[in-house]
Amino acid sequence: EDKVVQSPLSLVVHEGDTVTLNCSYEVTNFRSLLWYKQEKKAPTFLFMLTSSGIEKKSGRLSSILDKKELFSILNITATQTGDSAIYLCAVEPNTGNQFYFGTGTSLTVIP
Amino acid sequence: GAGVSQSPSNKVTEKGKDVELRCDPISGHTALYWYRQSLGQGLEFLIYFQGNSAPDKSGLPSDRFSAERTGGSVSTLTIQRTQQEDSAVYLCASSLYQLSYEQYFGPGTRLTVT
């Protein structure tokens, strides 16, 4: 059964801390892995990863994929209160049109 | 520019009633997706449209759920004989092309079945 597991489920850090969020997956015929940030209701796209070992970076956020070990990490450095959100990981197989989502990591950054 | 819009933003309905949720995608986006997020669970894929056709309906949780898209634009998700387990946030997304990773999400409709 295809599945995506994220850890930790929740995390509370202080402003300025660095956090690492994890996403492991078991998906037949992997195509891509996506990270989203969800505040309130609608997730916003962060990264798409298709190749192992190539880091994607956007400001204080970065992500990398390991297709051999079947996981990805999302790093956030120098966290700010505005980073508080649920971070969702999704995996897209190359068959069909579904995305398999993890349940997300709830990040709270306190001043 | 206008993003994906959904209506209503909140809907409270009695068990057994039918509800209709609406999604207006970004103009020109050919692909449209419906998701559901229940409390404490991840996003659940329901259905996607390419143009007006829905090649994959396998995510719909039961035959009480149906969706249509007309004119390659607006989509409606209909839930008949609602049950309490249907309570969730229903999210719509659109993308320029099929299977494009850049999906733009609407704000969602929070459905509460009492």
Side-chain angles (χ1 to χ4, degrees):
Chain A
E1 180 184 339
D2 295 336
K3 64 179 181 179
V4 176
V5 178
Q6 293 186 245
S7 64
L9 291 179
S10 65
L11 192 57
V12 180
V13 300
H14 290 277
E15 268 191 321
D17 288 350
T18 294
V19 298
T20 298
L21 311 182
N22 302 288
C23 175
S24 63
Y25 63 92
E26 294 176 22
V27 172
T28 306
N29 299 318
F30 173 90
R31 178 197 295 266
S32 65
L33 184 145
L34 303 96
W35 284 97
Y36 293 85
K37 177 182 181 183
Q38 185 174 19
E39 299 169 280
K40 298 179 182 179
K41 288 189 289 188
T44 53
F45 171 80
L46 294 176
F47 299 109
M48 184 185 80
L49 304 156
T50 57
S51 302
S52 279
I54 299 175
E55 185 183 51
K56 292 282 184 85
K57 196 169 173 67
S58 176
R60 296 177 294 104
L61 277 67
S62 64
S63 184
I64 198 162
L65 175 68
D66 186 327
K67 289 170 71 173
K68 181 180 177 183
E69 300 298 330
L70 306 182
F71 77 91
S72 173
I73 59 172
L74 175 69
N75 277 320
I76 308 174
T77 59
T79 51
Q80 302 171 357
T81 55
D83 295 328
S84 297
I86 295 174
Y87 289 84
L88 288 165
C89 171
V91 173
E92 179 188 20
N94 61 15
T95 54
N97 298 288
Q98 291 216 2
F99 293 89
Y100 297 97
F101 281 84
T103 55
T105 292
S106 176
L107 174 66
T108 303
V109 181
I110 54 179
Chain B
V4 177
S5 62
Q6 292 185 245
S7 61
S9 57
N10 282 284
K11 176 72 176 178
V12 181
T13 190
E14 292 179 354
K15 178 181 172 181
K17 295 286 179 71
D18 298 351
V19 295
E20 199 171 270
L21 312 180
R22 178 188 168 107
C23 172
D24 279 274
I26 292 173
S27 178
H29 280 194
T30 63
L32 184 148
Y33 309 80
W34 282 99
Y35 298 89
R36 175 170 75 172
Q37 182 164 11
S38 304
L39 187 65
Q41 298 185 27
L43 275 176
E44 177 186 3
F45 171 88
L46 299 178
I47 189 172
Y48 103 99
F49 288 90
Q50 179 59 39
N52 291 334
S53 64
D56 187 350
K57 303 179 182 179
S58 61
L60 294 175
S62 77
D63 59 8
R64 296 185 294 105
F65 287 71
S66 62
E68 64 175 15
R69 188 180 186 195
T70 55
S73 181
V74 172
S75 175
T76 54
L77 177 69
T78 301
I79 309 173
Q80 295 177 309
R81 306 181 301 282
T82 51
Q83 303 293 313
Q84 288 186 330
E85 60 263 30
D86 299 335
S87 297
V89 175
Y90 289 82
L91 287 161
C92 173
S94 70
S95 64
L96 190 57
Y97 303 115
Q98 181 183 354
L99 296 179
S100 166
Y101 63 89
E102 286 188 336
Q103 292 185 65
Y104 296 83
F105 282 83
T109 293
R110 180 174 294 280
L111 174 66
T112 304
V113 182
T114 61

